[in-house]
C-alpha cells in the first residue's frame, strides 16, 4: 500500500484518526476528521514510538497492521486458536507477555494466537482447575488477574533461550544461518549518486551478504540467502521471516544501510526484537550487542548502539534475529568505506565473530575484536570440532 501521509484525506484517514482517538493519542474527531493534519502526524509518531516501529509519521503497511491490531484490549473478546487464519491483535500480545512473565512458554510475543500460545493457555488452565481448552475467555481472564508471577529471580524467557543456546553447543558446524540482504527487485532501497557512479543499498548489501555466506559456509555453517542479486520483485518482510522459520534457522541476520537528509549522520546500529515494557528476545539482544561491538571494534564506524524494535522481520522470526544498519550511504565518510570491498570483508569478519561468540559459554567468551575467524575455517578444514 502507498503510505498515508500528512496532507492526505479520505476514509482511510478517518479510520486512522478513530483508532488513535480510541488509544487516547488524539482528541475526539472534529469537522475535519478525514484530514491527515499535524495533530494526526504527531499521534502517529507517538504510536510508532510506543510500539517500537520506525518513527516517520506516515502510515505504511506495517504501521497500519499495528494500528489495526491495537483496536483490541485484553479481555474484550474471547481468544482461541483459529485455522487457517489465526487471531491477531494487541490483546493477543498482552496475553503472551503476561504468560511469559508467569513462566509459560509461548515463544516470541508476536501478537499471533498460534498453537504454541494455545498450549500455554491450556497448561495454565489445567494448573488452576479450568477446562484446558486453550481458549482465553472470561473465566481464564479472571484466573489470570488473580494469579501473580510464577517465576521469580530472573526472566523466564531469558533462561529458556539461554538454555537452548547452551544445549546446541559452541561449534558453528551444522548450524543454519539465514542472511537477508535488504530490499531488492523493484525496491533498490537507498540510492545515492556519486559522480559517474550510482550506489544502491540493495546491490551493496547483496555483495556483503554473499561475502558473509562464503565465510560462514567455510566455518561449517549451512547458509541461505533470502534473495539473489536481481530478483523480479521485493520479498515482503513477513515472507522473509516465514522463510527463515520454515528452514528451522538458528540465526537470522538482516543487512541494511541507513540514510538521512543530513550528510553528517553516520555510524552503525543493530536492532533486535523488544517491546516498550521490557519483553525482549534475550538471545537476539545478546547477538545484537555482539554484532554491534565487533563491527565498531573492527571497522571504526561510529557506534549508534543497539535498539529494541517490534518490526515484523524481528517479531515473526522464531530464532535470534538482528537487523544491522551497517552505515549511512548518505554520509561521504561512511560511503567511502562501504564501497571498498576490503572494508566489507572486515564487516563480514565482525559478524562471523559475533555469531561464534553467541554460542560460546560466558566463561569461554573472548574480548571484542580478538577472535581470529580464520581459525574457525582451519578447524573445519582439519575435520575436527572443539567442544
Amino acid at each position: 500500500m502507498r503510505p498515508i501521509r500528512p496532507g492526505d484525506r479520505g476514509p482511510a484517514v478517518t479510520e486512522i484518526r478513530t483508532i488513535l482517538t480510541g488509544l487516547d493519542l488524539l482528541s475526539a474527531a472534529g469537522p475535519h476528521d478525514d484530514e491527515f493534519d499535524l495533530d494526526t502526524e504527531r499521534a502517529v509518531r507517538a504510536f510508532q514510538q510506543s510500539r517500537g516501529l520506525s518513527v516517520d509519521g506516515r502510515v505504511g503497511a506495517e504501521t497500519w497492521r499495528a494500528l489495526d491490531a491495537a483496536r483490541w484490549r485484553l479481555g474484550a473478546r474471547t481468544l482461541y486458536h483459529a485455522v487457517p487464519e489465526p487471531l491477531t491483535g494487541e490483546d493477543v500480545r498482552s496475553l503472551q507477555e503476561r504468560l511469559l512473565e508467569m513462566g509459560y512458554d509461548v515463544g516470541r510475543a508476536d501478537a499471533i494466537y498460534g498453537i504454541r500460545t494455545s498450549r500455554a493457555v491450556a497448561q495454565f488452565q489445567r494448573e488452576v482447575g479450568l477446562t484446558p481448552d486453550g481458549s482465553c475467555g472470561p473465566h481464564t481472564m479472571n484466573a489470570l488477574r488473580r494469579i501473580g508471577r510464577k517465576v521469580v529471580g530472573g526472566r523466564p524467557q531469558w533462561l529458556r533461550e539461554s538454555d537452548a543456546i547452551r544445549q546446541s553447543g559452541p561449534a558453528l558446524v551444522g548450524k543454519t544461518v539465514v542472511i537477508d540482504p535488504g530490499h531488492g527487485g523493484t525496491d533498490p532501497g537507498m540510492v545515492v549518486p556519486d559522480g559517474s557512479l550510482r550506489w544502491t543499498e540493495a546491490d551493496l548489501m547483496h555483495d556483503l551478504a554473499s561475502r558473509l555466506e562464503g565465510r560462514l559456509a567455510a566455518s561449517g555453517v549451512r547458509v541461505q540467502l533470502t534473495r539473489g542479486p536481481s530478483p523480479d520483485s521485493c520479498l515482503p518482510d513477513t515472507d522473509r521471516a516465514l522463510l527463515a522459520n520454515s528452514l528451522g534457522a538458528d540465526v537470522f541476520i538482516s543487512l541494511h544501510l541507513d540514510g538521512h537528509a543530513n550528510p553528517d549522520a553516520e555510524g552503525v546500529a543493530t536492532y533486535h526484537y523488544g517491546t516498550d515494557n521490557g519483553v525482549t528476545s534475550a538471545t537476539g539482544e545478546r547477538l545484537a550487542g555482539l554484532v554491534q561491538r565487533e563491527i565498531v571494534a573492527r571497522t571504526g564506524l561510529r557506534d549508534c548502539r543497539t535498539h529494541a524494535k517490534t518490526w515484523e522481520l524481528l517479531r515473526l522470526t522464531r530464532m535470534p534475529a538482528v537487523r544491522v544498519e551497517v552505515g549511512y550511504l548518505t554520509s561521504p565518510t561512511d560511503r567511502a568505506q562501504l564501497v571498498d570491498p576490503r572494508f566489507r570483508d572486515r564487516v563480514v569478519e565482525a559478524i562471523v565473530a559475533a555469531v561464534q561468540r553467541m554460542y560460546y559459554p560466558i566463561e569461554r567468551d573472548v574480548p571484542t575484536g580478538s577472535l581470529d575467524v580464520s581459525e574457525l575455517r582451519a578447524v573445519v578444514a582439519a575435520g575436527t570440532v572443539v567442544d
Side-chain angles (χ1 to χ4, degrees), residues 81-358:
H81 178 45
V83 179
E85 294 293 333
L87 297 179
T88 62
E90 194 70 15
D91 52 347
V92 178
R93 191 180 79 164
S94 297
L95 173 64
Q96 291 170 327
E97 291 174 352
R98 178 80 169 111
L99 291 168
L100 282 171
E101 289 175 353
M102 297 173 67
Y104 295 96
D105 182 12
V106 301
R108 187 78 45 90
D110 57 8
I112 301 172
Y113 204 100
I115 186 63
R116 201 164 176 178
T117 300
S118 179
R119 286 172 178 167
V121 170
Q123 181 183 353
F124 168 77
Q125 291 170 324
R126 190 177 298 108
E127 292 180 1
V128 297
L130 297 174
T131 302
D133 60 6
S135 64
C136 184
H139 295 300
T140 302
M141 280 302 308
N142 289 336
L144 283 168
R145 295 187 183 103
R146 292 196 309 267
I147 305 298
R149 286 175 179 264
K150 182 178 178 182
V151 177
V152 296
R155 291 180 292 177
Q157 189 66 6
W158 168 270
L159 299 174
R160 190 178 293 113
E161 291 185 8
S162 298
D163 186 62
I165 290 291
R166 181 185 60 79
Q167 290 190 23
S168 69
L172 290 182
V173 175
K175 291 183 171 60
T176 300
V177 174
V178 171
I179 306 171
D180 172 46
H183 305 282
T186 56
D187 177 15
M190 191 66 54
V191 179
V192 175
D194 186 8
S196 61
L197 301 175
R198 178 177 176 270
W199 302 108
T200 71
E201 178 181 1
D203 289 344
L204 286 170
M205 290 304 93
H206 185 269
D207 177 83
L208 182 65
S210 298
R211 293 169 187 268
L212 181 56
E213 176 187 26
R215 291 294 181 88
L216 285 171
S219 301
V221 176
R222 294 189 292 265
V223 186
Q224 174 71 49
L225 268 60
T226 59
R227 69 170 176 89
S230 303
D232 293 333
S233 60
C234 181
L235 198 65
D237 283 352
T238 51
D239 290 349
R240 297 175 194 238
L242 289 173
L243 173 62
N245 292 340
S246 68
L247 293 171
D250 297 290
V251 173
F252 180 87
I253 301 170
S254 186
L255 301 172
H256 286 258
L257 293 176
D258 217 330
H260 198 276
N262 185 346
D264 291 334
E266 61 180 44
V268 56
T270 309
Y271 300 86
H272 62 89
Y273 173 75
T275 66
D276 56 348
N277 64 355
V279 174
T280 187
S281 165
T283 50
E285 184 178 11
R286 171 166 166 73
L287 177 59
L290 291 169
V291 168
Q292 181 70 15
R293 293 194 297 274
E294 286 286 349
I295 290 179
V296 170
R298 293 171 187 259
T299 67
L301 285 170
R302 182 185 294 275
D303 185 1
C304 296
R305 302 186 298 280
T306 62
H307 307 272
K309 291 291 183 182
T310 61
W311 293 329
E312 290 170 336
L313 195 69
L314 303 175
R315 177 170 60 88
L316 298 179
T317 42
R318 300 193 190 117
M319 67 293 303
V322 296
R323 169 169 164 165
V324 191
E325 301 278 354
V326 186
Y328 280 77
L329 193 57
T330 50
S331 160
T333 302
D334 283 2
R335 185 168 64 250
Q337 299 183 84
L338 289 164
V339 301
D340 183 347
R342 294 168 298 181
F343 176 84
R344 296 198 292 275
D345 281 339
R346 295 205 301 275
V347 173
V348 164
E349 289 186 354
I351 295 175
V352 173
V355 173
Q356 175 61 87
R357 288 180 62 194
M358 185 182 72

Side-chain angles (χ1 to χ4, degrees), residues 18-26 47 51 67 70-71 73:
T18 300
I19 297 172
L20 293 171
T21 300
L23 296 172
D24 295 326
L25 294 173
L26 193 64
F47 175 81
R51 295 307 193 275
L67 280 167
R71 301 171 187 268
R73 287 288 176 268

